[in-house]
Amino acid sequence: MIFENLFRRNNAPAAMVLLTRKEKWRIALNKFAGKMIGLLFVVIAIKMIPGLLGSSSAHAQPYAGYTQHETDGINTSNTIWTLVAAFLVFGMQPGFTFLEAGFARKRESVNILAECIFDTCICGLLFYAVGYAFMFGQGNGFIGFGGGALAGGDGHNWFFLQNTPATYGATGIPILAHWIFQYAFADTTSTVTSGAMIGRCGFRGDILYSICVTGFIYPIIGHWAWGPDGWLACMGSAGAAGDYNPGNLPGVHNGTIFRFLPSLGQGFRDFAGSTVVHTIGGIVSLAGAIVLGPRLGRVFKRDGGGMPPANNLVVAAVGGFMLWFGWYGFNPGSTLSAVDMQGIGRVAANTTLAACGGGIIAMYMGLWFGSTKGKFDVGLATNGFLAGLVAITCPCFWVSPTGAIIIGAIAGVVVYLGIELLEYLRIDDPIGAVPVHGFCGMWGTWSLGLFGTGEYICSGPTGPTLADPANKIDGVRGLFYGGDASVLKAQLIGNLTVVIATLVVSLIMFYIINALPHPWKLRVEKEGEEQGLDLFEHGVSAYVLED
Amino acid sequence: MIFENLFRRNNAPAAMVLLTRKEKWRIALNKFAGKMIGLLFVVIAIKMIPGLLGSSSAHAQPYAGYTQHETDGINTSNTIWTLVAAFLVFGMQPGFTFLEAGFARKRESVNILAECIFDTCICGLLFYAVGYAFMFGQGNGFIGFGGGALAGGDGHNWFFLQNTPATYGATGIPILAHWIFQYAFADTTSTVTSGAMIGRCGFRGDILYSICVTGFIYPIIGHWAWGPDGWLACMGSAGAAGDYNPGNLPGVHNGTIFRFLPSLGQGFRDFAGSTVVHTIGGIVSLAGAIVLGPRLGRVFKRDGGGMPPANNLVVAAVGGFMLWFGWYGFNPGSTLSAVDMQGIGRVAANTTLAACGGGIIAMYMGLWFGSTKGKFDVGLATNGFLAGLVAITCPCFWVSPTGAIIIGAIAGVVVYLGIELLEYLRIDDPIGAVPVHGFCGMWGTWSLGLFGTGEYICSGPTGPTLADPANKIDGVRGLFYGGDASVLKAQLIGNLTVVIATLVVSLIMFYIINALPHPWKLRVEKEGEEQGLDLFEHGVSAYVLED
Amino acid sequence: MIFENLFRRNNAPAAMVLLTRKEKWRIALNKFAGKMIGLLFVVIAIKMIPGLLGSSSAHAQPYAGYTQHETDGINTSNTIWTLVAAFLVFGMQPGFTFLEAGFARKRESVNILAECIFDTCICGLLFYAVGYAFMFGQGNGFIGFGGGALAGGDGHNWFFLQNTPATYGATGIPILAHWIFQYAFADTTSTVTSGAMIGRCGFRGDILYSICVTGFIYPIIGHWAWGPDGWLACMGSAGAAGDYNPGNLPGVHNGTIFRFLPSLGQGFRDFAGSTVVHTIGGIVSLAGAIVLGPRLGRVFKRDGGGMPPANNLVVAAVGGFMLWFGWYGFNPGSTLSAVDMQGIGRVAANTTLAACGGGIIAMYMGLWFGSTKGKFDVGLATNGFLAGLVAITCPCFWVSPTGAIIIGAIAGVVVYLGIELLEYLRIDDPIGAVPVHGFCGMWGTWSLGLFGTGEYICSGPTGPTLADPANKIDGVRGLFYGGDASVLKAQLIGNLTVVIATLVVSLIMFYIINALPHPWKLRVEKEGEEQGLDLFEHGVSAYVLED
């Protein structure tokens, strides 16, 4: 077939045809997308020859008080931990795919498979090309670019993973191990995003917004909270001690860190991404659902309808369990340190208990108040434990197991109310991405301001930094544990800033994409939606059971 | 919807209705369950404020002959190993869910999803509240409570994970890492339990027995074998050397260990739970199947019928493979030590080979003797490799690869005969939970008395303790390797005690629950079973393929 | 049932029946297979009593420059890494099962489940009995047997894992940990092999070829590339320095290594098995598809037909993702060393990026040129990222992230063209096993000769060996990075030798099996294929959805 096609292409004369405006746009954008991808590879090829990945294999300096061999052993353990965690986080992709494909209607489930695969692949290329540099490179409070005194290495940019130092900052983790760990996080955001847009978003529209979200929106807003000089990370700290280049090292960026609200005394904290991953993903998804409007024929509860039933609850529920499994990379891996043994144990236990609390409570909310009152709703139970997992993602390091249960249980209420709220507002979110990831990401971020026990500060490669009451060094202490409101304030400022920024930027992005002509328009053609996205965009059905 | 409901609740006058006795019970027990859960959270809230998890972050004493840094490195490696293993064991949940939902009839598969989720969540809360203290705390030979000289820490109870020491006993593993590892085991038992009751057990009945099994039966009986002072673990040892508090330390429990049969010279051994997890789970399941009776319309082989076909063999078989994958956490992780490198390699290889032996033999048993003689039975092959895995779970540390193959192969015969036996006895076990987990758990436990090679004793944090023939220190040596019958005797005593205790207690429990009025009665209403549990209890179908 | 059968067997007189020649063959071969399996267990039993696994638990010598404790710590970390990787590789089995069962027609999907289970089990037994010794034992350039100066230990054979040393060669990895890691690789080959034969290969035929492939073809040809004295591994090296027993140690093999083409100066390299695992698997599968011919009723594109649609795309795509997840054991684990931190990070990142490149490009190839032009083909996207993963498996250690993207992207083109080529040649490969594993395994192996950066040499237990330009020690440098053609030549010689040898041997094997009478004939009976393999061979359907 391909051989014949190639042949015909070279010889057959082009027929004269009249193209409509829409068709011209289609051709032009198709070519544009092709060219962009081609361009990417050209750029890659250009970049490839000279300065490959700096394999600075010289031994890093030993940690203070440790021998070189001990330092190597510490870094080895921490690298094993980070990589295994990265693999587990990647292992969430089969889970997400099952969850989304199972909860949707059958006619749109192949489309979900295609999106999950495409998003995962394009996210890898973009996080390599620009995302990692934007997010984890040093730059200014609002965007990163590359090396510097804070991030390690010299002042060159890190695009296409060039010029990177051997290890990320002071973590002792090889930069490519840190990259794949963070790639898996970026990919999670990307997959969350598609959730609330299922069933009426054209595939070319998905391509466009995926490029924007994973290449730009996620890493740039993520830089605020997780970048070495992000303005939310550095919020609430005073003085010049954190200057980029206090020693005026040659070849190193000069400049000072943007210090917002130095009087607050607390930076914004998000241990494993309730805000950075889940709130961003959920809010982008909300914006998409708003711009798209509901699926054709979707009748809401207040209009006498309800969510269409899941086409395959078995894979949906198992997908949820696979996500829970992958979360053990997400949260415990975010220490980047296994030497903080107490820390990784505590994070793993808290993650478990929050999920348990969320699952039980959401099931009971459905039983007592839900639309099928008196029945045990499996979909709600699944979204309930996921809600608990999302909520504990931010505070998991700093709270106690008991706190984790309560945070998770409240998330089980939040997800139930959130689903009802969207239904009331006539926003169509087929899998509950907005309540689970958006609303519970917000709740989880805030909850640190209430439940932080005040005992823990942070993990480092050689172990944790803990509160030291004798010397009046306090940990992250929330209101319920005798702390003042400063942690809660910092969490609210950080999270709400991210919510607003994400909502505004992604509404603009989606309105623009939705203004493009078909097939690039965000919302698929009416006939495509009527026959189902699977047949229209992919030419197949999910199940062919008669053969 | 919820908003309108809330509104109406506050204003609408309550209509006068006459309730039947059944309805009153229903309301009362519903309220009771709600109150119990509420109570749990109140207790949690009360407990939360004062003594949170003791973060005794002071450095543990270095191991003899090792520096502090070396000790930290050892503990780090062992903690990584334990936590990764815990995650893999949790990863069995998607596998179990697939296996059970695939083997059942379609009309009861959503019910399975709901039970797997509910059991996993309630197990987490109960193992946090009481289970871990009952099982791994020090107390007496029959039940544990908390700290003490053997378990580490002081004499306070460990309920709600209060008052716990930094690490579990002498393992060097942080207590919360040990907790999550053991939680995943408890959860496995809980899921195994539901297997033989599929299709006719009401969901509220499931809630009641799950609370009993995961909160009480499993941890208390488990304490006998795995508790620091469990009577089966300490069986066969003499003298006062193991007294709780030989030094009369202040604040530490005083008392002596209950030493059963000191003349035996062998304690009961169960490396990773053929007895503790699988026999208990399988026997509880058997009791449930006996009390419930078979599903409506189930005709047994001797009456001209047979097991209804699996509704989805693809997910059932893949679920089996996912369980096999998770078993690599179950068995190798039970060393709690990666420094015993030879041990974890041996356990992993033995686990593999037993599964291979079981799968092949069970498939050939079906081919040669089964009800579909001449056909290769996929369900039996799946249960065959699971049977091998269950059997090797107890002896995996002490036998050779060759021994593992034979143990697994015999398990393949046992599972086939067990399925036929239950069919003959007209006991309806839709997925084979009793033969796989119950009978092969028993066989595997006993097999140690035959196949122990006599070379290995146990793992410790700094490496294994091995037999030392020069000094006449023998390992665990079975009959086939020149040992005497003492190991076999200890295994039979331990396993059969657990079988009898579990059977008696769980029969009583199930008869009580089955005597409750609907809907708390163990067996679902007749009309519920006829329309299928999915529609009746959950209001949905597993697959909605026409949309 | 069994009890009644057993009874009747002993008492009922055998009826006189006339058997056809075919039936006699059937009975004879059935008995033969049974006897062979019985024999295996007898041999096992004989072997079991005397020389069990040598548990040489004496401490290995410390590495030069390291203390004994540091050496133990290094070996612990490397063993954790290898075992976790082994588990992940085993975790590919559920993925393969989903992928194959999903892409096939419904009527042949149970057969796939049975094959995946059987192959996994028989592979374990054979790799224990003979495979590991053939592949990783020392022997000569063409086949291995056991110990020796190169492989560690004495000169005895390693069949049934007897006489093995404590650790594998100089890796410091316990031999049973190395065994399970390599078993998971062998199992992968075994599963790949069945791919192109789906739907018309009888189950007894599958048993016969599985025994040949996993017991003999794979380990013996694999020895050439990965054995301690394999002729391809040792190719291009000169001198006597690598003699087996330079010190004439008593009890150690004497002999010299076969050194092919000493002038080349490069051995054949295959980091994680693009050739050893994927090319062998893919080429055996191709031979099977050729000998079998296409499925009944399969019409090819040039005849106006096309590949039958996948029966369950959801599990196929998720299976693909599960394979991607498992690949993080496959490639990064092949260092057998976590101390090479930069190496494992680089391999993990390269693996990711090649998959991303392959997935995107294959999807676009389908969109622009495929049979459903203008549609986004999920099957092709899945095979595309798998193609990228297969291709990067050989060069992952020696190339840069940028190189990995290009290698993966080209694999995306190769897999598309390969699928079209097989369709053009009227070869029926239902899941694309030949293009994905065979063709992309070839491309990936060759690509090292183009993209090797010249910086890296190999991993060792205490860290990597790197190029040292100051001392004119070069790494593996490909044509595009300023190297000469020697690496490319070595890769072409090694890969093409394996392709030819595998193709010839497996064609002979398949023709012989196909010449056997039914039911041992490779191709199933016509009536079996018409009613579908599931009902014919296994007596069940994959899905029973009406109950």
Side-chain angles (χ1 to χ4, degrees):
Chain A
M1 220 25 49
I2 167 74
F3 304 103
E4 293 167 33
N5 280 345
L6 285 171
F7 191 75
R8 199 176 305 135
R9 263 152 202 271
N10 294 329
N11 294 277
M16 286 283 286
V17 289
L18 293 174
L19 298 172
T20 62
R21 188 166 163 275
K22 202 187 268 184
E23 285 166 337
K24 282 179 191 162
W25 261 100
R26 181 181 190 133
I27 291 167
L29 276 162
N30 242 323
K31 284 197 177 164
F32 173 76
K35 285 218 188 310
M36 283 300 100
I37 289 171
L39 185 62
L40 183 64
F41 281 95
V42 169
V43 173
I44 289 169
I46 291 169
K47 286 281 178 180
M48 191 182 65
I49 286 82
L52 293 139
L53 180 78
S55 68
S56 46
S57 51
H59 274 298
Q61 286 298 310
Y63 294 118
Y66 292 85
T67 68
Q68 183 66 55
H69 283 177
E70 287 169 353
T71 298
D72 290 346
I74 287 168
N75 289 343
T76 298
S77 289
N78 293 344
T79 302
I80 292 174
W81 184 247
T82 302
L83 280 174
V84 171
F87 305 160
L88 288 174
V89 178
F90 185 85
M92 295 169 81
Q93 285 304 317
F96 270 123
T97 308
F98 263 159
L99 185 87
E100 298 197 356
F103 272 151
R105 296 174 303 177
K106 182 193 155 219
R107 63 164 82 172
E108 61 217 15
S109 49
V110 173
N111 182 249
I112 289 167
L113 311 177
E115 287 191 2
C116 287
I117 295 173
F118 183 84
D119 292 356
T120 295
C121 292
I122 199 73
C123 180
L125 299 183
L126 289 169
F127 207 67
Y128 150 84
V130 295
Y132 187 75
F134 285 160
M135 193 154 175
F136 293 97
Q138 184 172 308
N140 56 47
F142 299 94
I143 191 165
F145 292 103
L150 286 172
D154 54 25
H156 292 104
N157 77 68
W158 289 355
F159 298 127
F160 302 93
L161 296 178
Q162 306 294 311
N163 315 313
T164 49
T167 59
Y168 184 67
T171 62
I173 308 292
I175 201 112
L176 287 179
H178 190 251
W179 178 85
I180 189 182
F181 183 67
Q182 294 299 343
Y183 155 69
F185 277 62
D187 190 22
T188 301
T189 308
S190 161
T191 309
V192 167
T193 295
S194 64
M197 288 186 269
I198 284 169
R200 71 278 201 201
C201 178
F203 198 78
R204 285 171 181 82
D206 177 80
I207 293 176
L208 294 181
Y209 84 72
S210 281
I211 292 173
C212 296
V213 172
T214 64
F216 302 91
I217 295 176
Y218 170 75
I220 292 172
I221 296 183
H223 178 80
W224 303 356
W226 285 351
D229 50 0
W231 74 272
L232 287 172
C234 301
M235 177 174 73
S237 61
D243 283 353
Y244 280 164
N245 187 7
N248 277 306
L249 299 174
V252 169
H253 252 306
N254 270 287
T256 47
I257 294 175
F258 174 58
R259 297 178 190 284
F260 184 67
L261 262 186
S263 63
L264 186 60
Q266 300 282 352
F268 173 66
R269 290 179 179 89
D270 186 10
F271 192 72
S274 288
T275 291
V276 173
V277 174
H278 295 286
T279 304
I280 292 182
I283 296 298
V284 173
S285 209
L286 174 63
I290 290 171
V291 172
L292 281 169
R295 289 171 287 181
L296 286 180
R298 169 81 160 86
V299 184
F300 292 89
K301 261 193 197 173
R302 55 195 290 199
D303 307 317
M307 183 67 74
N311 88 86
N312 191 333
L313 265 179
V314 175
V315 301
V318 170
F321 267 132
M322 292 167 79
L323 286 171
W324 186 338
F325 171 60
W327 233 285
Y328 290 121
F330 219 91
N331 289 3
S334 290
T335 57
L336 299 180
S337 163
V339 177
D340 181 4
M341 289 171 269
Q342 292 291 338
I344 57 180
R346 186 174 64 249
V347 170
N350 285 348
T351 300
T352 305
L353 287 166
C356 294
I360 295 270
I361 293 297
M363 189 182 260
Y364 271 92
M365 293 298 290
L367 180 73
W368 289 332
F369 310 114
S371 50
T372 53
K373 209 177 296 186
K375 308 276 185 194
F376 295 88
D377 186 329
V378 171
L380 204 50
T382 306
N383 273 338
F385 70 70
L386 294 175
L389 290 164
V390 168
I392 201 64
T393 298
C394 162
C396 55
F397 185 79
W398 296 286
V399 300
S400 73
T402 307
I405 293 177
I406 299 173
I407 291 169
I410 293 174
V413 177
V414 169
V415 76
Y416 171 74
L417 294 176
I419 289 170
E420 295 292 331
L421 177 65
L422 289 186
E423 195 72 21
Y424 187 81
L425 296 173
R426 297 199 180 90
I427 294 172
D428 185 15
D429 178 0
I431 65 154
V434 176
V436 171
H437 299 277
F439 298 160
C440 292
M442 293 169 68
W443 155 243
T445 308
W446 307 348
S447 73
L448 177 60
L450 305 173
F451 290 91
T453 66
E455 293 172 278
Y456 315 110
I457 296 178
C458 64
S459 278
T462 60
T465 311
L466 297 173
D468 180 3
N471 291 306
K472 304 208 175 165
I473 297 172
D474 199 15
V476 180
R477 189 179 293 277
L479 276 178
F480 294 172
Y481 286 74
D484 59 20
S486 61
V487 175
L488 182 60
K489 277 186 204 162
Q491 296 304 98
L492 286 169
I493 291 169
N495 180 258
L496 293 176
T497 309
V498 169
V499 168
I500 292 165
T502 306
L503 192 63
V504 169
V505 170
S506 53
L507 279 173
I508 294 170
M509 171 189 74
F510 283 125
Y511 276 120
I512 291 174
I513 298 176
N514 208 28
L516 296 175
H518 282 299
W520 290 92
K521 192 171 189 291
L522 191 66
R523 177 126 192 176
V524 76
E525 290 90 329
K526 188 157 171 289
E527 64 270 27
E529 202 175 334
E530 277 164 354
Q531 62 175 276
L533 282 174
D534 292 1
L535 285 173
F536 184 73
E537 294 276 29
H538 310 286
V540 290
S541 262
Y543 311 109
V544 179
L545 299 179
E546 57 279 359
D547 194 14
Chain B
M1 222 20 51
I2 168 75
F3 305 104
E4 292 167 34
N5 280 343
L6 285 172
F7 190 75
R8 198 175 306 134
R9 264 153 201 269
N10 293 330
N11 295 278
M16 286 284 285
V17 289
L18 292 172
L19 297 173
T20 64
R21 187 165 165 277
K22 201 188 268 182
E23 285 167 337
K24 284 179 191 162
W25 261 100
R26 181 181 191 134
I27 290 166
L29 275 161
N30 241 323
K31 284 197 177 166
F32 173 75
K35 288 220 186 305
M36 283 299 101
I37 289 171
L39 185 63
L40 182 65
F41 281 96
V42 169
V43 174
I44 289 169
I46 291 167
K47 286 282 179 179
M48 193 181 65
I49 285 82
L52 293 140
L53 178 79
S55 66
S56 48
S57 50
H59 274 298
Q61 287 299 310
Y63 294 119
Y66 291 85
T67 67
Q68 183 65 56
H69 283 178
E70 285 168 354
T71 297
D72 290 345
I74 287 169
N75 288 343
T76 298
S77 289
N78 292 345
T79 301
I80 292 174
W81 185 247
T82 302
L83 280 175
V84 171
F87 305 158
L88 288 174
V89 178
F90 184 86
M92 294 169 81
Q93 285 305 316
F96 269 123
T97 308
F98 262 159
L99 185 86
E100 298 197 356
F103 272 152
R105 296 173 303 177
K106 182 196 155 214
R107 63 164 83 172
E108 61 218 14
S109 48
V110 172
N111 183 249
I112 290 166
L113 310 177
E115 288 191 2
C116 287
I117 293 173
F118 182 84
D119 292 357
T120 295
C121 291
I122 198 73
C123 180
L125 298 183
L126 289 168
F127 208 68
Y128 150 85
V130 294
Y132 187 75
F134 285 161
M135 192 155 177
F136 292 98
Q138 185 173 306
N140 56 46
F142 299 93
I143 191 166
F145 292 104
L150 285 173
D154 54 27
H156 292 102
N157 77 67
W158 290 357
F159 298 127
F160 301 93
L161 296 178
Q162 304 294 310
N163 315 312
T164 49
T167 60
Y168 183 67
T171 62
I173 307 292
I175 202 113
L176 287 179
H178 189 250
W179 179 85
I180 189 180
F181 184 66
Q182 293 299 343
Y183 155 69
F185 277 61
D187 190 22
T188 301
T189 308
S190 160
T191 308
V192 167
T193 295
S194 65
M197 288 185 268
I198 284 170
R200 70 277 200 203
C201 179
F203 197 79
R204 284 171 182 81
D206 177 80
I207 292 176
L208 294 181
Y209 84 71
S210 281
I211 291 174
C212 296
V213 173
T214 64
F216 302 91
I217 296 177
Y218 170 76
I220 293 172
I221 297 183
H223 178 81
W224 304 355
W226 285 353
D229 50 0
W231 74 272
L232 287 172
C234 302
M235 177 173 75
S237 61
D243 283 351
Y244 279 166
N245 189 7
N248 276 308
L249 297 174
V252 169
H253 249 306
N254 270 288
T256 49
I257 293 175
F258 173 58
R259 297 178 189 284
F260 185 67
L261 263 187
S263 64
L264 185 61
Q266 299 283 353
F268 173 66
R269 289 179 180 89
D270 187 9
F271 192 73
S274 288
T275 291
V276 174
V277 174
H278 296 284
T279 304
I280 293 182
I283 297 299
V284 173
S285 208
L286 174 63
I290 290 171
V291 173
L292 281 168
R295 289 172 286 181
L296 286 180
R298 170 81 160 87
V299 185
F300 292 90
K301 260 192 198 174
R302 53 195 293 201
D303 306 316
M307 184 67 73
N311 88 86
N312 190 334
L313 265 179
V314 174
V315 302
V318 170
F321 266 133
M322 291 166 79
L323 286 171
W324 186 338
F325 170 61
W327 233 286
Y328 289 121
F330 218 91
N331 290 3
S334 290
T335 58
L336 298 180
S337 163
V339 176
D340 182 3
M341 288 171 270
Q342 292 291 336
I344 56 178
R346 186 173 65 251
V347 170
N350 285 348
T351 301
T352 306
L353 286 166
C356 294
I360 295 271
I361 293 299
M363 187 182 261
Y364 270 92
M365 293 298 290
L367 181 73
W368 289 333
F369 310 115
S371 51
T372 53
K373 208 177 295 184
K375 308 276 186 193
F376 295 87
D377 186 330
V378 171
L380 206 49
T382 305
N383 273 337
F385 70 70
L386 293 175
L389 290 165
V390 168
I392 201 63
T393 296
C394 162
C396 55
F397 184 78
W398 296 286
V399 302
S400 74
T402 307
I405 293 177
I406 299 172
I407 291 168
I410 294 173
V413 177
V414 170
V415 76
Y416 171 74
L417 294 176
I419 288 169
E420 294 293 330
L421 178 65
L422 289 186
E423 195 73 21
Y424 187 81
L425 296 173
R426 296 198 181 92
I427 294 172
D428 185 15
D429 179 359
I431 65 152
V434 177
V436 170
H437 299 278
F439 298 160
C440 292
M442 294 170 67
W443 154 243
T445 307
W446 307 348
S447 73
L448 176 61
L450 305 174
F451 290 92
T453 67
E455 294 171 277
Y456 315 109
I457 297 178
C458 64
S459 278
T462 60
T465 312
L466 298 173
D468 179 4
N471 291 308
K472 302 207 174 163
I473 298 172
D474 200 13
V476 180
R477 188 178 294 277
L479 277 178
F480 295 171
Y481 286 74
D484 60 20
S486 62
V487 175
L488 183 59
K489 278 185 203 161
Q491 296 304 98
L492 286 169
I493 291 169
N495 180 256
L496 293 176
T497 311
V498 169
V499 167
I500 293 164
T502 305
L503 193 62
V504 169
V505 169
S506 51
L507 280 173
I508 294 169
M509 170 188 74
F510 284 124
Y511 276 119
I512 291 174
I513 298 176
N514 208 30
L516 295 176
H518 281 300
W520 291 92
K521 193 173 190 291
L522 191 66
R523 177 124 191 176
V524 76
E525 290 91 328
K526 187 156 172 289
E527 64 270 29
E529 201 174 335
E530 277 165 353
Q531 60 175 279
L533 283 175
D534 292 1
L535 284 173
F536 184 72
E537 293 276 30
H538 310 287
V540 288
S541 263
Y543 311 108
V544 179
L545 299 179
E546 56 281 356
D547 194 13
Chain C
M1 216 31 38
I2 168 74
F3 304 104
E4 293 168 34
N5 279 343
L6 284 171
F7 192 74
R8 198 176 305 135
R9 262 152 203 271
N10 293 331
N11 296 278
M16 286 283 287
V17 288
L18 293 173
L19 297 171
T20 63
R21 186 166 165 279
K22 202 188 266 183
E23 286 165 337
K24 284 179 190 164
W25 261 101
R26 181 181 191 134
I27 291 165
L29 276 162
N30 242 323
K31 285 198 176 164
F32 173 76
K35 286 216 188 307
M36 282 300 101
I37 288 171
L39 186 62
L40 182 63
F41 280 95
V42 169
V43 174
I44 288 170
I46 292 168
K47 286 281 179 178
M48 192 183 63
I49 285 84
L52 292 140
L53 179 77
S55 67
S56 46
S57 50
H59 274 301
Q61 287 298 309
Y63 294 118
Y66 292 84
T67 67
Q68 184 65 55
H69 283 178
E70 285 168 354
T71 297
D72 290 346
I74 287 168
N75 288 343
T76 298
S77 289
N78 293 343
T79 301
I80 292 175
W81 185 245
T82 302
L83 279 175
V84 171
F87 306 159
L88 288 174
V89 178
F90 184 85
M92 294 169 81
Q93 285 304 316
F96 269 124
T97 308
F98 262 158
L99 185 86
E100 297 196 358
F103 272 151
R105 296 173 303 178
K106 180 192 157 222
R107 61 164 83 171
E108 61 218 14
S109 48
V110 173
N111 183 249
I112 290 167
L113 311 177
E115 287 191 3
C116 286
I117 294 173
F118 183 84
D119 292 357
T120 294
C121 292
I122 198 73
C123 180
L125 299 182
L126 289 168
F127 206 68
Y128 151 84
V130 294
Y132 187 75
F134 285 161
M135 193 154 175
F136 293 98
Q138 183 172 308
N140 56 45
F142 299 94
I143 191 166
F145 293 101
L150 284 172
D154 55 25
H156 292 103
N157 77 66
W158 289 355
F159 299 127
F160 300 93
L161 295 178
Q162 305 293 311
N163 314 311
T164 48
T167 59
Y168 184 67
T171 61
I173 307 292
I175 202 112
L176 288 179
H178 190 249
W179 179 84
I180 189 182
F181 184 67
Q182 293 299 341
Y183 155 69
F185 276 62
D187 190 22
T188 301
T189 308
S190 162
T191 308
V192 167
T193 295
S194 64
M197 289 186 269
I198 284 168
R200 71 275 201 204
C201 179
F203 197 79
R204 286 170 181 81
D206 176 80
I207 293 176
L208 294 181
Y209 83 72
S210 280
I211 291 173
C212 297
V213 172
T214 63
F216 302 91
I217 295 177
Y218 170 77
I220 294 173
I221 296 184
H223 179 81
W224 304 355
W226 285 352
D229 50 359
W231 74 272
L232 286 173
C234 301
M235 178 174 74
S237 61
D243 283 351
Y244 280 164
N245 188 5
N248 276 307
L249 299 174
V252 169
H253 250 307
N254 269 289
T256 48
I257 293 174
F258 174 58
R259 298 180 188 284
F260 184 67
L261 263 187
S263 65
L264 185 59
Q266 299 283 351
F268 173 66
R269 290 179 181 90
D270 187 9
F271 192 73
S274 288
T275 290
V276 173
V277 174
H278 296 284
T279 304
I280 292 182
I283 297 298
V284 173
S285 207
L286 174 64
I290 290 171
V291 172
L292 281 169
R295 289 171 286 181
L296 286 180
R298 170 78 160 89
V299 185
F300 292 89
K301 259 194 201 173
R302 54 195 289 200
D303 306 317
M307 183 67 75
N311 89 86
N312 190 334
L313 265 180
V314 174
V315 301
V318 169
F321 267 132
M322 290 167 81
L323 287 171
W324 187 338
F325 171 61
W327 233 286
Y328 290 121
F330 219 90
N331 290 2
S334 290
T335 57
L336 299 179
S337 164
V339 177
D340 182 2
M341 288 171 270
Q342 292 291 337
I344 57 180
R346 185 173 64 249
V347 170
N350 285 347
T351 300
T352 307
L353 287 166
C356 294
I360 294 271
I361 294 297
M363 187 181 262
Y364 271 92
M365 293 298 289
L367 181 74
W368 289 333
F369 309 115
S371 51
T372 53
K373 207 177 298 185
K375 308 275 186 196
F376 295 87
D377 186 329
V378 170
L380 205 50
T382 305
N383 274 337
F385 71 70
L386 294 174
L389 290 164
V390 168
I392 201 65
T393 297
C394 162
C396 55
F397 184 78
W398 296 288
V399 301
S400 72
T402 308
I405 293 177
I406 299 173
I407 290 168
I410 293 173
V413 177
V414 170
V415 77
Y416 171 75
L417 294 176
I419 289 170
E420 295 291 332
L421 178 65
L422 289 186
E423 195 72 22
Y424 187 83
L425 295 173
R426 296 198 180 89
I427 295 171
D428 185 15
D429 178 0
I431 64 151
V434 177
V436 170
H437 299 278
F439 299 160
C440 292
M442 294 171 67
W443 154 243
T445 309
W446 307 348
S447 73
L448 177 61
L450 304 174
F451 290 91
T453 66
E455 294 171 275
Y456 316 109
I457 297 178
C458 64
S459 277
T462 59
T465 312
L466 297 173
D468 179 3
N471 291 306
K472 302 208 175 165
I473 298 172
D474 200 13
V476 181
R477 188 179 293 277
L479 275 179
F480 294 172
Y481 287 73
D484 62 20
S486 63
V487 175
L488 183 59
K489 277 185 203 163
Q491 296 304 97
L492 286 169
I493 291 169
N495 179 258
L496 292 176
T497 310
V498 169
V499 167
I500 292 164
T502 305
L503 192 62
V504 169
V505 170
S506 53
L507 279 173
I508 293 170
M509 170 189 74
F510 283 124
Y511 276 120
I512 291 174
I513 298 176
N514 208 28
L516 297 174
H518 283 300
W520 291 92
K521 191 171 189 290
L522 191 66
R523 177 122 193 178
V524 76
E525 291 90 328
K526 189 159 171 292
E527 64 271 28
E529 201 175 334
E530 276 165 353
Q531 60 176 277
L533 283 174
D534 292 0
L535 285 174
F536 185 73
E537 294 276 28
H538 309 287
V540 288
S541 262
Y543 311 108
V544 179
L545 299 181
E546 56 279 358
D547 195 13

